[in-house]
Amino acid sequence: MLTNSIRLFRVRGIEVGIHYSWLVIFLFVTWSLSVSYFPDTVPGRPDTEYWLLGAIASLLLFVSVLLHELAHSFVAKARGLDARSITLFIFGGVSNLGGEARQPSTEFLVAIVGPLTSFVIAAAAYVVAQVSNEPRIEATADYLALINAALGIFNLIPGFPLDGGRVLRSIIWEVTGNMQRATDLAANVGKLVAYGFLAWGFIEILDKDYLDGAWIAVIGWFLHSAASSTLSQMVLDTRLKRIRVGDVMRADTTVVSPDLSVEQLIDDVLLPGNRRAVPVALQDRLVGMVTVSDLVRVPVAQRVTTRVGDVMGGRKGVVTVGPTDTVAFAVELMGEDDLEQLPVVQGERLVGILARADVMRQLQLRERLDPNPGGS
Ligand SMILES: [Zn+2]
């Protein structure tokens, strides 16, 4: 889930939230519908009714965007990816899928189903508008048909990270067999599309159409930054995939017993060893991981009586990595459970600790010494 968002509800294990910026667009859409669209299409009604219609239409727009994102998530789940959350924000929605598609066909299906859903909603709304005899329902349905068709078309623009860019990437990936090259190309097309939007926005502004111009330019700016961050993310991923856990871990095999008191742990293990975390083992079996964050929750007066086993993390199962795993994989695991470090295990034996801070240090080193990890 993105930060600065409000959690709303869960659908089939997928957490749905809205980013604060979404409230801005909600108010903006409601306002513009209430003062211009509805008065123009359904004249002669009281203002309160226009505001009510505006709010209903905005909510239905919200539902439309949500259905578009849910379609992405459901297909991702059906294809074995992990769909965790959906955040609706100012330009639409972001589905947070666990990990990237491993096959081009998966990426293609997950991406294309979103715009298709928008087109289906547009078609349904169009039918409602045609058969309805009630002018207010007709006006609302017409608006939804138009906005969903626009959403579908906008998202099909072939620039990464828009759905169309993902479709393009999956096709290049399928044809060339090289996902990196496909990402590179699709993200660069995404940048081109972004420049197109920026130029269009400026032309509109020169034409004195300030609001539309600013709006289009902001979309361009957003697309550009998303495409750029995709590219730098790819460079980062490439680096992380090249480094093995064993290369970066600290070969520290200190463990403590779950029966140790928190005070002893702090005074005898963490402070003297300059450690932020230490694995907890019971007769050579790893049972948890205790970190500074776990300890600060214990009031100082209770440090003597509290046992490590009562506050340690990982009681439901310790997350570990092997020394030959890639750092990319380890970082993904850390991200999933919001961990700062992982015990490194070979067979059953603890061989070291991998800390996020060490990974960052290694990345900074490589950034200076090996500026072009792609080798191209
Ligand atoms: Zn989409």
Side-chain angles (χ1 to χ4, degrees):
M1 176 124 325
L2 292 176
T3 48
N4 298 322
S5 57
I6 308 163
R7 288 177 182 199
L8 292 182
F9 46 80
R10 290 173 80 91
V11 190
R12 286 215 255 158
I14 303 163
E15 189 121 29
V16 176
I18 50 173
H19 191 260
Y20 289 118
S21 66
W22 197 87
L23 296 170
V24 176
I25 193 114
F26 180 79
L27 292 175
F28 178 76
V29 171
T30 304
W31 169 76
S32 68
L33 288 172
S34 320
V35 301
S36 91
Y37 176 75
F38 281 114
D40 289 349
T41 36
V42 204
R45 306 267 177 182
D47 278 354
T48 45
E49 206 176 302
Y50 290 136
W51 279 99
L52 190 65
L53 284 170
I56 291 172
S58 299
L59 273 178
L60 289 170
L61 168 62
F62 167 82
V63 173
S64 304
V65 174
L66 178 61
L67 288 173
H68 172 121
E69 294 305 323
L70 281 175
H72 286 308
S73 297
F74 287 165
V75 172
K77 277 197 146 180
R79 300 282 295 194
L81 287 171
D82 183 19
R84 287 192 210 109
S85 67
I86 290 173
T87 307
L88 298 167
F89 74 128
I90 200 155
F91 295 104
V94 172
S95 297
N96 173 19
L97 307 175
E100 293 267 324
R102 306 218 188 277
Q103 291 161 332
S105 58
T106 300
E107 164 133 72
F108 180 84
L109 288 173
V110 170
I112 197 87
V113 74
L116 287 182
T117 304
S118 295
F119 289 136
V120 169
I121 300 171
Y126 180 77
V127 171
V128 170
Q130 296 310 304
V131 300
S132 165
N133 298 317
E134 158 59 53
R136 288 168 295 183
I137 295 181
E138 197 184 322
T140 309
D142 268 336
Y143 167 73
L144 285 173
L146 193 75
I147 197 92
N148 275 290
L151 263 174
I153 292 168
F154 173 71
N155 275 292
L156 277 182
I157 293 172
F160 206 82
L162 290 172
D163 296 336
R166 292 181 188 277
V167 169
L168 177 69
R169 174 167 92 157
S170 70
I171 293 170
I172 305 172
W173 181 7
E174 174 72 42
V175 172
T176 63
N178 186 335
M179 183 173 106
Q180 246 181 62
R181 210 153 105 207
T183 308
D184 196 48
L185 246 154
N188 278 311
V189 174
K191 276 189 173 178
L192 270 179
V193 171
Y195 290 132
F197 269 90
L198 283 169
W200 178 19
F202 280 119
I203 290 170
E204 294 283 321
I205 289 170
L206 290 178
D207 228 23
K208 302 208 161 47
D209 196 347
Y210 299 112
L211 191 62
D212 284 348
W215 199 235
I216 293 163
V218 167
I219 292 176
W221 169 79
F222 162 76
L223 287 177
H224 185 266
S225 64
S228 307
S229 73
T230 303
L231 284 171
S232 49
Q233 181 65 43
M234 193 178 70
V235 172
L236 187 71
D237 282 350
T238 312
R239 286 184 201 284
L240 290 176
K241 277 183 189 141
R242 286 185 159 192
I243 316 169
R244 302 278 156 192
V245 167
D247 301 334
V248 199
M249 71 175 197
R250 261 171 299 159
D252 183 344
T253 54
T254 309
V255 290
V256 294
S257 147
D259 290 323
L260 197 69
S261 77
V262 166
E263 180 166 82
Q264 279 173 303
L265 174 71
I266 293 172
D267 293 343
D268 302 345
V269 183
L270 295 187
L271 292 180
N274 201 17
R275 292 186 180 89
R276 299 185 58 85
V278 63
V280 184
L282 193 62
Q283 286 143 11
D284 286 343
R285 197 169 54 84
L286 217 54
V287 292
M289 185 84 176
V290 66
T291 69
V292 172
S293 324
D294 300 324
L295 300 180
V296 291
R297 281 188 227 122
V298 182
V300 176
Q302 287 168 31
R303 282 181 180 175
V304 185
T305 50
T306 309
R307 292 163 57 253
V308 166
D310 299 329
V311 295
M312 68 183 187
R315 275 165 286 180
K316 288 175 200 149
V318 198
V319 185
T320 62
V321 281
T324 54
D325 287 331
T326 65
V327 169
F329 174 70
V331 167
E332 209 177 300
L333 285 182
M334 286 184 195
E336 272 168 25
D337 290 320
D338 211 11
L339 301 169
E340 285 298 316
Q341 53 272 307
L342 294 172
V344 184
V345 185
Q346 191 159 34
E348 294 275 279
R349 199 165 53 88
L350 179 77
V351 291
I353 296 282
L354 181 74
R356 199 189 281 265
D358 293 329
V359 174
M360 296 316 292
R361 208 168 299 135
Q362 176 73 204
L363 276 175
Q364 283 161 4
L365 256 177
R366 290 193 179 229
E367 222 165 276
R368 300 199 65 182
L369 301 175
D370 168 29
N372 187 9
S376 57

